[in-house]
Amino acid sequence: MPATAPIFVLEKLPYLENALEPYISAKTLSFHYGKHHAGYVDKLNSLCANTAYADLSIEAVMKKTSGILDKAAIFNNAAQVWNHAFYWKSLNPEGSRKPSGVLLSKIETTFSGYENFHKQLIETAISQFGSGWAWLVKDGTTLKIVKTTNADNPLVHGQKPLLTIDVWEHAYYLDYQNKRQAYVEAIVDHLLNWDFAASNF
Ligand code: MN3
């Protein structure tokens, strides 16, 4: 049998590994992208080889395996591949540090002002117990701030992600040790990619 090419590929980082310094170090990015994210891709490829999942998009794999107990390993790795690719795009070393235009208006009306939104986003990310993700999502016509546990992802719950923050310890431990709040505040104040959020909105 011929060797098969990898089914799912590791998306390129949209910037250099040192681009998010001083808020996220090149060392963190190197491990997080090169070991964690790449590891999920490798694992997913080995789990999906010679299965019906090999012909599907990563979103379809996530939707087909979500909540199915004996497919948890495939779901977890597929979702982590998707979540990380989305997380890299949710960060940006340059660009506007606040939302603008229609997205800002929607945030202001939904969360009673940008300051409340900012506070709620940080609190949600800090309060996720253990590993997981904080998200700004579009749910129907409204916006919500939600958190998910481990690999779980709003897409499989019918919500459309606009931005995400990875709150697994591997995302910040080298730079911030146990100080998740400092990491989350650095991201929200200095790295969130509001142009990406606007394009998703
Ligand atoms: Mn991660």
Short mmCIF file of all heavy atoms in Angstrom, two decimals, residues 32 84 133 166 168 170, ligand 1:
data_model
loop_
_atom_site.label_atom_id
_atom_site.label_comp_id
_atom_site.label_asym_id
_atom_site.label_seq_id
_atom_site.Cartn_x
_atom_site.Cartn_y
_atom_site.Cartn_z
N HIS A 32 4.40 26.11 22.01
CA HIS A 32 2.95 26.04 21.87
C HIS A 32 2.56 25.66 20.44
O HIS A 32 1.71 24.79 20.21
CB HIS A 32 2.34 27.40 22.25
CG HIS A 32 0.89 27.36 22.57
ND1 HIS A 32 0.20 28.44 23.03
CD2 HIS A 32 -0.03 26.37 22.47
CE1 HIS A 32 -1.06 28.11 23.21
NE2 HIS A 32 -1.23 26.86 22.88
N HIS A 84 -6.45 25.99 17.88
CA HIS A 84 -5.15 26.66 17.84
C HIS A 84 -4.97 27.50 16.58
O HIS A 84 -4.47 28.62 16.66
CB HIS A 84 -4.01 25.65 18.02
CG HIS A 84 -3.83 25.25 19.46
ND1 HIS A 84 -4.50 24.19 20.01
CD2 HIS A 84 -3.10 25.81 20.47
CE1 HIS A 84 -4.18 24.10 21.30
NE2 HIS A 84 -3.34 25.06 21.60
N TRP A 133 -10.85 27.36 27.03
CA TRP A 133 -10.80 28.49 26.11
C TRP A 133 -11.87 29.51 26.49
O TRP A 133 -12.95 29.13 26.93
CB TRP A 133 -11.07 28.01 24.68
CG TRP A 133 -10.11 26.98 24.18
CD1 TRP A 133 -10.12 25.63 24.47
CD2 TRP A 133 -8.97 27.19 23.35
NE1 TRP A 133 -9.05 25.02 23.86
CE2 TRP A 133 -8.34 25.94 23.16
CE3 TRP A 133 -8.42 28.33 22.74
CZ2 TRP A 133 -7.18 25.80 22.39
CZ3 TRP A 133 -7.28 28.19 21.96
CH2 TRP A 133 -6.67 26.93 21.80
N ASP A 166 -6.68 31.14 24.51
CA ASP A 166 -6.30 29.82 25.03
C ASP A 166 -5.92 30.00 26.51
O ASP A 166 -5.03 30.79 26.83
CB ASP A 166 -5.09 29.32 24.23
CG ASP A 166 -4.68 27.88 24.55
OD1 ASP A 166 -5.11 27.36 25.61
OD2 ASP A 166 -3.92 27.30 23.74
N TRP A 168 -5.26 27.18 28.50
CA TRP A 168 -4.50 26.02 28.99
C TRP A 168 -3.19 26.56 29.58
O TRP A 168 -2.63 27.53 29.06
CB TRP A 168 -4.16 25.08 27.83
CG TRP A 168 -5.29 24.25 27.31
CD1 TRP A 168 -6.51 24.68 26.86
CD2 TRP A 168 -5.30 22.82 27.17
NE1 TRP A 168 -7.27 23.61 26.45
CE2 TRP A 168 -6.55 22.46 26.62
CE3 TRP A 168 -4.36 21.81 27.44
CZ2 TRP A 168 -6.90 21.13 26.35
CZ3 TRP A 168 -4.70 20.49 27.16
CH2 TRP A 168 -5.96 20.16 26.64
N HIS A 170 -0.26 25.59 29.20
CA HIS A 170 0.86 25.61 28.25
C HIS A 170 0.90 26.92 27.47
O HIS A 170 1.91 27.26 26.88
CB HIS A 170 0.85 24.38 27.32
CG HIS A 170 -0.30 24.30 26.36
ND1 HIS A 170 -1.05 23.16 26.17
CD2 HIS A 170 -0.82 25.21 25.51
CE1 HIS A 170 -1.97 23.38 25.25
NE2 HIS A 170 -1.86 24.61 24.84
MN MN3 B 1 -2.89 25.64 23.52
#
